[in-house]
Amino acid sequence: GESVGLHLPTLSVQEGDNSIINCAYSNSASDYFIWYKQESGKGPQFIIDIRSNMDKRQGQRVTVLLNKTVKHLSLQIAATQPGDSAVYFCAENGGDAGNMLTFGGGTRLMVKP
Amino acid sequence: EPEVTQTPSHQVTQMGQEVILRCVPISNHLYFYWYRQILGQKVEFLVSFYNNEISEKSEIFDDQFSVERPDGSNFTLKIRSTKLEDSAMYFCASRSDRVDTEAFFGQGTRLTVV
């Protein structure tokens, strides 16, 4: 079946370094992608999104890259800070009725001081 | 900043009992969702609701689940006869009807079935 998945379950980085979190998706009909951050005991929090007609989008310290050829999505966090420690989920919208989001399995980012 | 609010934050219930989880979506949003997250696992879609009816539901959303929008502000998830495996975080989310916009999530209700 269609799925959204993540390559690495845990990523440990040094404070100040850049982080890259990857996501693979298999639904070629997906046309909208979102990265969410989830801190312990909290709900998913929107970070950045990208539409399928784009291959890159930048926010504050974050960049999302989309490679539709290989169905790959990545989140880059510049100058990672301890407050960035969380689980990161990619989610995709395949244009289903109700605009349901399908979430990947999540990557835990751990920032070492 | 507008937010999705959920109550209660934690609910403990006996197996077989009915529970109702409550959500107040963002006021001008038109799409409403319930998601579930079992501890340590990914966020799973349960149901979406639009124009006063279910628009999509997953295999998890079986006959023991129901949703309702009893008034203009609340959106509820009812689990009729809870099972141990229903223990999870339940997240409500809402979304506007603009194309390609993110869903806003509440802080979740932790349901513990004992």
Side-chain angles (χ1 to χ4, degrees):
Chain A
E2 303 288 1
S3 65
V4 177
L6 292 170
H7 292 308
L8 298 173
T10 304
L11 177 65
S12 184
V13 299
Q14 204 69 39
E15 181 179 358
D17 286 353
N18 296 333
S19 303
I20 300 176
I21 300 171
N22 296 303
C23 176
Y25 66 95
S26 58
N27 185 355
S28 55
S30 297
D31 54 11
Y32 178 61
F33 304 87
I34 305 174
W35 280 101
Y36 282 95
K37 173 185 180 183
Q38 186 179 29
E39 296 174 291
S40 180
K42 296 186 178 180
Q45 180 183 12
F46 171 83
I47 301 173
I48 192 168
D49 59 0
I50 189 167
R51 294 171 178 75
S52 60
N53 62 350
M54 305 169 68
D55 53 21
K56 180 179 180 179
R57 190 166 190 218
Q58 287 185 288
Q60 187 177 15
R61 282 201 308 117
V62 294
T63 301
V64 55
L65 299 177
L66 174 63
N67 185 331
K68 294 181 288 293
T69 302
V70 295
K71 299 191 186 72
H72 184 267
L73 194 69
S74 69
L75 177 70
Q76 300 178 3
I77 305 173
T80 314
Q81 302 168 359
D84 295 326
S85 294
V87 177
Y88 290 80
F89 294 95
C90 62
E92 58 94 2
N93 181 340
D96 293 319
N99 295 319
M100 164 187 93
L101 290 173
T102 300
F103 281 78
T107 292
R108 179 174 300 280
L109 177 65
M110 299 173 62
V111 182
K112 296 177 289 186
Chain B
E1 185 174 320
E3 59 180 12
V4 176
T5 57
Q6 291 184 241
T7 55
S9 56
H10 192 185
Q11 173 91 45
V12 181
T13 189
Q14 295 270 351
M15 189 170 56
Q17 294 296 304
E18 174 184 287
V19 294
I20 298 176
L21 310 183
R22 303 182 190 276
C23 170
V24 179
I26 294 173
S27 60
N28 62 345
H29 284 182
L30 298 179
Y31 287 95
F32 314 116
Y33 310 85
W34 283 101
Y35 286 81
R36 180 182 81 174
Q37 186 179 34
I38 294 171
L39 185 63
Q41 299 186 21
K42 70 178 182 180
V43 178
E44 300 175 290
F45 170 75
L46 291 177
V47 66
S48 59
F49 192 86
Y50 173 73
N51 199 26
N52 288 320
E53 61 182 19
I54 291 173
S55 51
E56 189 77 17
K57 61 182 180 179
S58 71
E59 293 177 353
I60 303 169
F61 194 87
D62 61 23
D63 291 343
Q64 71 163 341
F65 291 91
S66 63
V67 290
E68 193 177 28
R69 188 155 164 82
D71 52 43
S73 60
N74 290 285
F75 180 52
T76 62
L77 174 70
K78 181 190 291 186
I79 309 175
R80 192 172 47 196
S81 178
T82 50
K83 303 190 287 284
L84 294 176
E85 53 265 38
D86 293 327
S87 296
M89 283 289 288
Y90 287 81
F91 293 106
C92 173
S94 70
R95 198 172 186 184
S96 77
D97 63 346
R98 287 167 42 216
V99 174
D100 294 343
T101 57
E102 73 272 23
F104 291 80
F105 284 79
Q107 294 297 302
T109 292
R110 179 173 297 283
L111 177 65
T112 303
V113 182
V114 297

mmCIF file of all heavy atoms in Angstrom, chain A residues 4-39:
data_model
loop_
_atom_site.group_PDB
_atom_site.id
_atom_site.type_symbol
_atom_site.label_atom_id
_atom_site.label_comp_id
_atom_site.label_asym_id
_atom_site.label_seq_id
_atom_site.Cartn_x
_atom_site.Cartn_y
_atom_site.Cartn_z
ATOM 1 N N VAL A 4 4.280 6.539 3.793
ATOM 2 C CA VAL A 4 5.310 7.557 3.973
ATOM 3 C C VAL A 4 6.243 7.036 5.036
ATOM 4 O O VAL A 4 5.804 6.601 6.090
ATOM 5 C CB VAL A 4 4.684 8.894 4.412
ATOM 6 C CG1 VAL A 4 5.766 9.923 4.664
ATOM 7 C CG2 VAL A 4 3.703 9.382 3.359
ATOM 8 N N GLY A 5 7.512 7.026 4.804
ATOM 9 C CA GLY A 5 8.424 6.462 5.806
ATOM 10 C C GLY A 5 9.656 7.297 5.991
ATOM 11 O O GLY A 5 9.952 8.177 5.216
ATOM 12 N N LEU A 6 10.393 7.036 7.023
ATOM 13 C CA LEU A 6 11.599 7.769 7.354
ATOM 14 C C LEU A 6 12.777 6.824 7.364
ATOM 15 O O LEU A 6 12.662 5.650 7.680
ATOM 16 C CB LEU A 6 11.458 8.446 8.722
ATOM 17 C CG LEU A 6 10.446 9.582 8.769
ATOM 18 C CD1 LEU A 6 10.194 10.007 10.193
ATOM 19 C CD2 LEU A 6 10.918 10.757 7.957
ATOM 20 N N HIS A 7 13.981 7.328 6.986
ATOM 21 C CA HIS A 7 15.138 6.478 6.876
ATOM 22 C C HIS A 7 15.733 6.148 8.228
ATOM 23 O O HIS A 7 16.155 5.027 8.462
ATOM 24 C CB HIS A 7 16.180 7.153 6.013
ATOM 25 C CG HIS A 7 15.755 7.276 4.577
ATOM 26 N ND1 HIS A 7 15.297 6.206 3.852
ATOM 27 C CD2 HIS A 7 15.724 8.328 3.740
ATOM 28 C CE1 HIS A 7 14.995 6.606 2.624
ATOM 29 N NE2 HIS A 7 15.245 7.880 2.528
ATOM 30 N N LEU A 8 15.887 7.134 9.143
ATOM 31 C CA LEU A 8 16.584 6.944 10.392
ATOM 32 C C LEU A 8 15.659 7.226 11.560
ATOM 33 O O LEU A 8 15.073 8.282 11.657
ATOM 34 C CB LEU A 8 17.784 7.885 10.482
ATOM 35 C CG LEU A 8 18.872 7.718 9.424
ATOM 36 C CD1 LEU A 8 19.902 8.831 9.551
ATOM 37 C CD2 LEU A 8 19.545 6.370 9.569
ATOM 38 N N PRO A 9 15.588 6.331 12.518
ATOM 39 C CA PRO A 9 14.754 6.577 13.677
ATOM 40 C C PRO A 9 15.344 7.584 14.652
ATOM 41 O O PRO A 9 14.608 8.263 15.338
ATOM 42 C CB PRO A 9 14.637 5.196 14.320
ATOM 43 C CG PRO A 9 15.832 4.448 13.856
ATOM 44 C CD PRO A 9 16.170 4.975 12.508
ATOM 45 N N THR A 10 16.651 7.683 14.775
ATOM 46 C CA THR A 10 17.291 8.591 15.723
ATOM 47 C C THR A 10 18.464 9.286 15.067
ATOM 48 O O THR A 10 19.250 8.646 14.380
ATOM 49 C CB THR A 10 17.781 7.839 16.968
ATOM 50 O OG1 THR A 10 16.689 7.144 17.559
ATOM 51 C CG2 THR A 10 18.372 8.796 17.977
ATOM 52 N N LEU A 11 18.557 10.585 15.287
ATOM 53 C CA LEU A 11 19.667 11.375 14.782
ATOM 54 C C LEU A 11 20.236 12.188 15.932
ATOM 55 O O LEU A 11 19.514 12.933 16.586
ATOM 56 C CB LEU A 11 19.186 12.310 13.662
ATOM 57 C CG LEU A 11 20.216 13.266 13.076
ATOM 58 C CD1 LEU A 11 21.317 12.470 12.378
ATOM 59 C CD2 LEU A 11 19.567 14.234 12.100
ATOM 60 N N SER A 12 21.519 12.021 16.170
ATOM 61 C CA SER A 12 22.180 12.748 17.244
ATOM 62 C C SER A 12 23.176 13.729 16.637
ATOM 63 O O SER A 12 24.035 13.321 15.845
ATOM 64 C CB SER A 12 22.893 11.762 18.176
ATOM 65 O OG SER A 12 23.470 12.424 19.267
ATOM 66 N N VAL A 13 23.056 15.004 16.975
ATOM 67 C CA VAL A 13 23.951 16.025 16.418
ATOM 68 C C VAL A 13 24.492 16.909 17.529
ATOM 69 O O VAL A 13 23.891 17.024 18.611
ATOM 70 C CB VAL A 13 23.236 16.896 15.363
ATOM 71 C CG1 VAL A 13 22.752 16.050 14.205
ATOM 72 C CG2 VAL A 13 22.101 17.693 15.984
ATOM 73 N N GLN A 14 25.597 17.533 17.244
ATOM 74 C CA GLN A 14 26.201 18.467 18.178
ATOM 75 C C GLN A 14 25.523 19.824 18.028
ATOM 76 O O GLN A 14 25.180 20.240 16.903
ATOM 77 C CB GLN A 14 27.695 18.607 17.857
ATOM 78 C CG GLN A 14 28.560 19.066 19.003
ATOM 79 C CD GLN A 14 28.687 18.028 20.113
ATOM 80 O OE1 GLN A 14 28.787 16.836 19.834
ATOM 81 N NE2 GLN A 14 28.668 18.482 21.345
ATOM 82 N N GLU A 15 25.335 20.493 19.126
ATOM 83 C CA GLU A 15 24.769 21.837 19.073
ATOM 84 C C GLU A 15 25.585 22.714 18.136
ATOM 85 O O GLU A 15 26.809 22.718 18.183
ATOM 86 C CB GLU A 15 24.759 22.452 20.482
ATOM 87 C CG GLU A 15 24.164 23.840 20.550
ATOM 88 C CD GLU A 15 24.138 24.407 21.961
ATOM 89 O OE1 GLU A 15 24.552 23.687 22.910
ATOM 90 O OE2 GLU A 15 23.713 25.559 22.138
ATOM 91 N N GLY A 16 24.883 23.430 17.282
ATOM 92 C CA GLY A 16 25.555 24.299 16.328
ATOM 93 C C GLY A 16 25.752 23.680 14.964
ATOM 94 O O GLY A 16 25.933 24.402 13.975
ATOM 95 N N ASP A 17 25.715 22.363 14.916
ATOM 96 C CA ASP A 17 25.841 21.685 13.619
ATOM 97 C C ASP A 17 24.512 21.754 12.867
ATOM 98 O O ASP A 17 23.468 22.071 13.433
ATOM 99 C CB ASP A 17 26.231 20.224 13.818
ATOM 100 C CG ASP A 17 27.682 20.075 14.234
ATOM 101 O OD1 ASP A 17 28.417 21.090 14.231
ATOM 102 O OD2 ASP A 17 28.083 18.937 14.575
ATOM 103 N N ASN A 18 24.584 21.416 11.587
ATOM 104 C CA ASN A 18 23.363 21.325 10.789
ATOM 105 C C ASN A 18 22.803 19.901 10.871
ATOM 106 O O ASN A 18 23.552 18.933 10.965
ATOM 107 C CB ASN A 18 23.660 21.677 9.329
ATOM 108 C CG ASN A 18 24.122 23.114 9.175
ATOM 109 O OD1 ASN A 18 23.786 23.978 9.987
ATOM 110 N ND2 ASN A 18 24.911 23.376 8.145
ATOM 111 N N SER A 19 21.489 19.800 10.842
ATOM 112 C CA SER A 19 20.814 18.503 10.888
ATOM 113 C C SER A 19 20.071 18.271 9.584
ATOM 114 O O SER A 19 19.517 19.207 9.006
ATOM 115 C CB SER A 19 19.795 18.459 12.036
ATOM 116 O OG SER A 19 20.410 18.733 13.272
ATOM 117 N N ILE A 20 20.066 17.030 9.158
ATOM 118 C CA ILE A 20 19.289 16.654 7.971
ATOM 119 C C ILE A 20 18.452 15.434 8.317
ATOM 120 O O ILE A 20 18.989 14.397 8.713
ATOM 121 C CB ILE A 20 20.191 16.341 6.765
ATOM 122 C CG1 ILE A 20 21.038 17.557 6.400
ATOM 123 C CG2 ILE A 20 19.332 15.907 5.568
ATOM 124 C CD1 ILE A 20 22.023 17.302 5.278
ATOM 125 N N ILE A 21 17.156 15.586 8.180
ATOM 126 C CA ILE A 21 16.220 14.492 8.450
ATOM 127 C C ILE A 21 15.557 14.126 7.126
ATOM 128 O O ILE A 21 15.089 15.004 6.398
ATOM 129 C CB ILE A 21 15.169 14.910 9.496
ATOM 130 C CG1 ILE A 21 15.871 15.285 10.810
ATOM 131 C CG2 ILE A 21 14.175 13.779 9.729
ATOM 132 C CD1 ILE A 21 14.956 15.910 11.835
ATOM 133 N N ASN A 22 15.536 12.850 6.831
ATOM 134 C CA ASN A 22 15.057 12.383 5.536
ATOM 135 C C ASN A 22 13.720 11.661 5.631
ATOM 136 O O ASN A 22 13.355 11.115 6.675
ATOM 137 C CB ASN A 22 16.086 11.442 4.910
ATOM 138 C CG ASN A 22 17.384 12.139 4.612
ATOM 139 O OD1 ASN A 22 17.413 13.128 3.888
ATOM 140 N ND2 ASN A 22 18.468 11.656 5.194
ATOM 141 N N CYS A 23 13.034 11.646 4.522
ATOM 142 C CA CYS A 23 11.726 10.998 4.445
ATOM 143 C C CYS A 23 11.519 10.502 3.024
ATOM 144 O O CYS A 23 11.803 11.225 2.063
ATOM 145 C CB CYS A 23 10.641 11.996 4.835
ATOM 146 S SG CYS A 23 8.958 11.397 4.687
ATOM 147 N N ALA A 24 11.023 9.269 2.894
ATOM 148 C CA ALA A 24 10.670 8.733 1.589
ATOM 149 C C ALA A 24 9.168 8.550 1.533
ATOM 150 O O ALA A 24 8.558 8.161 2.518
ATOM 151 C CB ALA A 24 11.367 7.396 1.345
ATOM 152 N N TYR A 25 8.599 8.843 0.406
ATOM 153 C CA TYR A 25 7.165 8.611 0.245
ATOM 154 C C TYR A 25 6.953 7.774 -0.997
ATOM 155 O O TYR A 25 7.795 7.734 -1.901
ATOM 156 C CB TYR A 25 6.385 9.932 0.178
ATOM 157 C CG TYR A 25 6.673 10.787 -1.033
ATOM 158 C CD1 TYR A 25 5.880 10.713 -2.166
ATOM 159 C CD2 TYR A 25 7.740 11.678 -1.026
ATOM 160 C CE1 TYR A 25 6.140 11.498 -3.273
ATOM 161 C CE2 TYR A 25 8.007 12.470 -2.131
ATOM 162 C CZ TYR A 25 7.209 12.380 -3.250
ATOM 163 O OH TYR A 25 7.474 13.153 -4.345
ATOM 164 N N SER A 26 5.847 7.079 -1.043
ATOM 165 C CA SER A 26 5.614 6.174 -2.172
ATOM 166 C C SER A 26 4.377 6.530 -2.980
ATOM 167 O O SER A 26 4.189 5.989 -4.073
ATOM 168 C CB SER A 26 5.500 4.731 -1.675
ATOM 169 O OG SER A 26 4.461 4.607 -0.724
ATOM 170 N N ASN A 27 3.561 7.447 -2.450
ATOM 171 C CA ASN A 27 2.353 7.824 -3.173
ATOM 172 C C ASN A 27 2.684 8.902 -4.201
ATOM 173 O O ASN A 27 2.876 10.063 -3.857
ATOM 174 C CB ASN A 27 1.294 8.322 -2.190
ATOM 175 C CG ASN A 27 -0.031 8.628 -2.867
ATOM 176 O OD1 ASN A 27 -0.147 8.567 -4.085
ATOM 177 N ND2 ASN A 27 -1.032 8.982 -2.077
ATOM 178 N N SER A 28 2.758 8.525 -5.446
ATOM 179 C CA SER A 28 3.128 9.486 -6.482
ATOM 180 C C SER A 28 2.058 10.555 -6.679
ATOM 181 O O SER A 28 2.309 11.578 -7.314
ATOM 182 C CB SER A 28 3.385 8.756 -7.801
ATOM 183 O OG SER A 28 2.271 7.972 -8.157
ATOM 184 N N ALA A 29 0.866 10.335 -6.131
ATOM 185 C CA ALA A 29 -0.204 11.332 -6.234
ATOM 186 C C ALA A 29 -0.078 12.419 -5.177
ATOM 187 O O ALA A 29 -0.804 13.411 -5.214
ATOM 188 C CB ALA A 29 -1.558 10.656 -6.116
ATOM 189 N N SER A 30 0.842 12.240 -4.224
ATOM 190 C CA SER A 30 1.013 13.248 -3.174
ATOM 191 C C SER A 30 1.432 14.569 -3.793
ATOM 192 O O SER A 30 2.351 14.613 -4.623
ATOM 193 C CB SER A 30 2.072 12.789 -2.175
ATOM 194 O OG SER A 30 1.659 11.615 -1.520
ATOM 195 N N ASP A 31 0.775 15.634 -3.364
ATOM 196 C CA ASP A 31 1.094 16.928 -3.949
ATOM 197 C C ASP A 31 1.371 18.003 -2.914
ATOM 198 O O ASP A 31 1.583 19.169 -3.260
ATOM 199 C CB ASP A 31 -0.027 17.372 -4.892
ATOM 200 C CG ASP A 31 -1.394 17.359 -4.220
ATOM 201 O OD1 ASP A 31 -1.447 17.215 -2.982
ATOM 202 O OD2 ASP A 31 -2.400 17.508 -4.928
ATOM 203 N N TYR A 32 1.386 17.613 -1.663
ATOM 204 C CA TYR A 32 1.614 18.588 -0.604
ATOM 205 C C TYR A 32 2.251 17.857 0.558
ATOM 206 O O TYR A 32 1.795 16.782 0.954
ATOM 207 C CB TYR A 32 0.288 19.223 -0.199
ATOM 208 C CG TYR A 32 0.359 20.226 0.919
ATOM 209 C CD1 TYR A 32 1.116 21.383 0.804
ATOM 210 C CD2 TYR A 32 -0.355 20.032 2.084
ATOM 211 C CE1 TYR A 32 1.177 22.307 1.826
ATOM 212 C CE2 TYR A 32 -0.317 20.953 3.108
ATOM 213 C CZ TYR A 32 0.448 22.087 2.979
ATOM 214 O OH TYR A 32 0.490 23.011 3.993
ATOM 215 N N PHE A 33 3.313 18.450 1.108
ATOM 216 C CA PHE A 33 4.079 17.791 2.157
ATOM 217 C C PHE A 33 4.325 18.764 3.305
ATOM 218 O O PHE A 33 4.527 19.967 3.085
ATOM 219 C CB PHE A 33 5.427 17.301 1.612
ATOM 220 C CG PHE A 33 5.291 16.403 0.421
ATOM 221 C CD1 PHE A 33 5.212 16.928 -0.860
ATOM 222 C CD2 PHE A 33 5.219 15.032 0.587
ATOM 223 C CE1 PHE A 33 5.072 16.107 -1.953
ATOM 224 C CE2 PHE A 33 5.079 14.198 -0.518
ATOM 225 C CZ PHE A 33 5.001 14.734 -1.781
ATOM 226 N N ILE A 34 4.324 18.224 4.498
ATOM 227 C CA ILE A 34 4.507 19.044 5.695
ATOM 228 C C ILE A 34 5.506 18.358 6.612
ATOM 229 O O ILE A 34 5.495 17.129 6.748
ATOM 230 C CB ILE A 34 3.184 19.221 6.472
ATOM 231 C CG1 ILE A 34 2.073 19.780 5.574
ATOM 232 C CG2 ILE A 34 3.384 20.135 7.676
ATOM 233 C CD1 ILE A 34 0.717 19.835 6.272
ATOM 234 N N TRP A 35 6.323 19.146 7.248
ATOM 235 C CA TRP A 35 7.147 18.658 8.350
ATOM 236 C C TRP A 35 6.549 19.175 9.658
ATOM 237 O O TRP A 35 6.253 20.368 9.796
ATOM 238 C CB TRP A 35 8.589 19.141 8.223
ATOM 239 C CG TRP A 35 9.403 18.347 7.258
ATOM 240 C CD1 TRP A 35 9.734 18.676 5.981
ATOM 241 C CD2 TRP A 35 10.005 17.063 7.506
ATOM 242 N NE1 TRP A 35 10.495 17.690 5.414
ATOM 243 C CE2 TRP A 35 10.683 16.693 6.321
ATOM 244 C CE3 TRP A 35 10.046 16.197 8.605
ATOM 245 C CZ2 TRP A 35 11.392 15.490 6.206
ATOM 246 C CZ3 TRP A 35 10.739 15.012 8.492
ATOM 247 C CH2 TRP A 35 11.414 14.665 7.313
ATOM 248 N N TYR A 36 6.384 18.230 10.594
ATOM 249 C CA TYR A 36 5.906 18.568 11.924
ATOM 250 C C TYR A 36 6.977 18.222 12.952
ATOM 251 O O TYR A 36 7.722 17.260 12.791
ATOM 252 C CB TYR A 36 4.643 17.775 12.276
ATOM 253 C CG TYR A 36 3.371 18.293 11.654
ATOM 254 C CD1 TYR A 36 2.889 17.761 10.461
ATOM 255 C CD2 TYR A 36 2.633 19.302 12.270
ATOM 256 C CE1 TYR A 36 1.705 18.226 9.901
ATOM 257 C CE2 TYR A 36 1.454 19.769 11.716
ATOM 258 C CZ TYR A 36 0.994 19.226 10.534
ATOM 259 O OH TYR A 36 -0.178 19.687 9.980
ATOM 260 N N LYS A 37 7.002 18.988 14.016
ATOM 261 C CA LYS A 37 7.870 18.742 15.164
ATOM 262 C C LYS A 37 6.988 18.368 16.339
ATOM 263 O O LYS A 37 5.974 19.034 16.591
ATOM 264 C CB LYS A 37 8.661 20.019 15.484
ATOM 265 C CG LYS A 37 9.481 19.971 16.753
ATOM 266 C CD LYS A 37 10.112 21.337 17.028
ATOM 267 C CE LYS A 37 10.944 21.346 18.291
ATOM 268 N NZ LYS A 37 11.506 22.698 18.591
ATOM 269 N N GLN A 38 7.366 17.312 17.040
ATOM 270 C CA GLN A 38 6.585 16.910 18.200
ATOM 271 C C GLN A 38 7.491 16.790 19.413
ATOM 272 O O GLN A 38 8.367 15.921 19.470
ATOM 273 C CB GLN A 38 5.851 15.592 17.962
ATOM 274 C CG GLN A 38 4.906 15.230 19.101
ATOM 275 C CD GLN A 38 4.149 13.942 18.870
ATOM 276 O OE1 GLN A 38 4.621 13.042 18.185
ATOM 277 N NE2 GLN A 38 2.955 13.837 19.442
ATOM 278 N N GLU A 39 7.281 17.655 20.370
ATOM 279 C CA GLU A 39 7.998 17.580 21.636
ATOM 280 C C GLU A 39 7.250 16.634 22.572
ATOM 281 O O GLU A 39 6.057 16.394 22.397
ATOM 282 C CB GLU A 39 8.135 18.972 22.235
ATOM 283 C CG GLU A 39 8.986 19.894 21.361
ATOM 284 C CD GLU A 39 9.016 21.309 21.868
ATOM 285 O OE1 GLU A 39 7.975 21.983 21.791
ATOM 286 O OE2 GLU A 39 10.082 21.742 22.330
#
